[in-house]
Amino acid sequence: MKPELASLLEKYESRILGQGTNLRLLLSAILAGGHVLIEGVPGTGKTQMVRTLASLLGGKFSRIQFTPDLLPSDITGSTIYNMKDSSFQTLKGPIFTNILLADEINRTPAKTQAALLEAMEEKQVTIQGETYALPEVFFVVATQNPIEFEGTYPLPEAQQDRFLFKLNIEFPELEEEKRVLRSVIEGVFGGGSVEPALSTEDFASIRREVQEVTISESVLDYIMKIVRKTRDTESIRFGASTRAAISIGKAAQAWAYMAGRDYVTPDDIKITARPALRHRIQISPHMELEGATVDTIIEELVGAVPVPR
């Protein structure tokens, strides 16, 4: 791992307490060129997690607060008539950035949610028939609240599949939460700018190095066995797509790179499989009635697949 990336990770973990694994998963997903969906109750630092990472990367950052009356053009931009010049002018929206925070994405209708699809998949935006390229370093981090359903619009399965990871933000342990409380009260955290740890150019260079991390044939087979098992298990109603297998592989490359290795191990697959699958599969109704959760089903499924030697 490059010293600049190690410095970024150290600063990141010192600013966001109690979410060590999720911070590394978020960074590995972005290093893999993917987008991330973050779910957690209010007040657990979801927005701060993304804003801090954007500051450390030193790129352009945009935040969109999703509301029921938000329009697709509020995200992508629009074309207006300039009376002074007697010509049409394109006004680019906040999606033209490096890091886009889609805050509370489930508070806006599907029509507006879908405005992100082209950008997330093809890194381009079409406005009034004209297509505009997005920066090389571009990723979307969306947040949603799992406990409030009134006035919300659940993300369609097809759009959830565009996210490489879904991260669940849990409450930190007692001592970690106490550290957060003390730090904010004493003024250690709670504001101020964060100095960038590396530039977007350096970050793009690191991402190209991540793509060179080796995945052996046996590890590729391991990924495919896990994904295909989601389609053949009675406890799962709808299994994972091919994009899920790609997501696990790419994320495992990034996780291995952050661990200082140039090859992927089965343990890397085990770590990245859960966040890569939890939003892509639907468990059967009878399993829901028995109190099973997606995470427990994935854990059992991965544990049932033989680990390559």
Side-chain angles (χ1 to χ4, degrees):
M1 181 165 55
K2 280 192 172 182
E4 298 91 338
L5 185 61
S7 174
L8 183 151
L9 187 58
E10 182 182 351
K11 291 179 180 179
Y12 198 20
E13 291 178 330
S14 69
R15 299 280 304 189
I16 307 295
L17 304 177
Q19 297 293 341
T21 301
N22 278 325
L23 297 184
R24 287 176 174 262
L25 286 170
L26 176 59
L27 185 55
S28 65
I30 293 167
L31 281 170
H35 311 283
V36 180
L37 177 63
I38 300 178
E39 184 172 281
V41 297
T44 49
K46 300 184 298 296
T47 301
Q48 186 64 27
M49 184 184 298
V50 182
R51 190 184 295 276
T52 301
L53 179 58
S55 299
L56 288 169
L57 290 177
K60 187 178 178 184
F61 172 72
S62 295
R63 175 183 177 273
I64 304 174
Q65 179 64 53
F66 279 67
T67 57
D69 59 348
L70 193 73
L71 298 174
S73 58
D74 294 329
I75 299 172
T76 60
S78 58
T79 301
I80 62 170
Y81 184 71
N82 189 330
M83 298 184 65
K84 183 177 180 181
D85 299 333
S86 299
S87 62
F88 287 95
Q89 181 180 357
T90 299
L91 298 179
K92 294 182 178 180
I95 201 169
F96 289 89
T97 186
N98 297 119
I99 304 99
L100 176 67
L101 172 59
D103 218 351
E104 296 187 297
I105 192 172
N106 58 332
R107 289 198 175 276
T108 200
K111 177 180 71 173
T112 305
Q113 293 171 357
L116 294 171
L117 290 178
E118 182 184 16
M120 293 171 67
E121 187 68 19
E122 303 173 40
K123 285 194 175 180
Q124 64 182 32
V125 176
T126 301
I127 304 173
Q128 294 292 318
E130 289 288 329
T131 300
Y132 302 88
L134 290 168
E136 180 183 2
V137 177
F138 169 78
F139 55 87
V140 176
V141 182
T143 69
Q144 62 180 15
N145 182 347
I147 63 172
E148 193 174 359
F149 299 104
E150 186 175 349
T152 61
Y153 305 83
L155 282 174
E157 286 76 9
Q159 185 158 347
Q160 289 193 53
D161 196 42
R162 297 302 201 283
F163 290 97
L164 189 145
F165 274 170
K166 179 182 178 183
L167 303 181
N168 290 338
I169 305 300
E170 307 289 346
F171 291 114
E173 298 294 331
L174 173 62
E175 288 303 317
E176 291 176 328
E177 194 167 14
K178 184 178 176 181
R179 283 180 60 201
V180 174
L181 175 63
R182 181 175 297 280
S183 298
V184 173
I185 289 176
E186 293 179 352
V188 178
F189 296 148
S193 59
V194 181
E195 289 296 320
L198 70 161
S199 65
T200 53
E201 291 78 12
D202 291 336
F203 188 76
S205 174
I206 291 172
R207 274 176 41 173
R208 287 189 286 271
E209 290 184 10
V210 168
Q211 295 172 1
E212 300 300 320
V213 174
T214 302
I215 303 183
S216 67
E217 198 69 27
S218 61
V219 174
L220 284 176
D221 288 339
Y222 185 50
I223 295 172
M224 290 312 307
K225 286 177 182 177
I226 291 172
V227 171
R228 294 183 74 86
K229 195 169 181 62
T230 66
R231 306 168 192 166
D232 303 326
T233 303
E234 289 186 1
S235 57
I236 297 176
R237 186 181 179 191
F238 296 115
S241 65
T242 305
R243 186 185 281 123
I246 296 170
S247 297
I248 294 172
K250 286 187 172 182
Q253 283 180 305
W255 189 269
Y257 181 88
M258 290 173 60
R261 286 182 276 105
D262 61 355
Y263 60 92
V264 173
T265 69
D267 286 339
D268 299 326
I269 305 302
K270 290 180 180 179
I271 292 169
T272 56
R274 185 186 298 181
L277 292 175
R278 61 163 56 111
H279 56 299
R280 290 186 164 103
I281 63 175
Q282 291 185 20
I283 60 177
S284 301
H286 71 276
M287 295 302 297
E288 290 183 350
L289 291 174
E290 292 178 11
T293 64
V294 172
D295 279 7
T296 56
I297 295 294
I298 294 172
E299 190 173 347
E300 292 173 1
L301 183 148
V302 173
V305 176
V307 178
R309 296 187 179 276

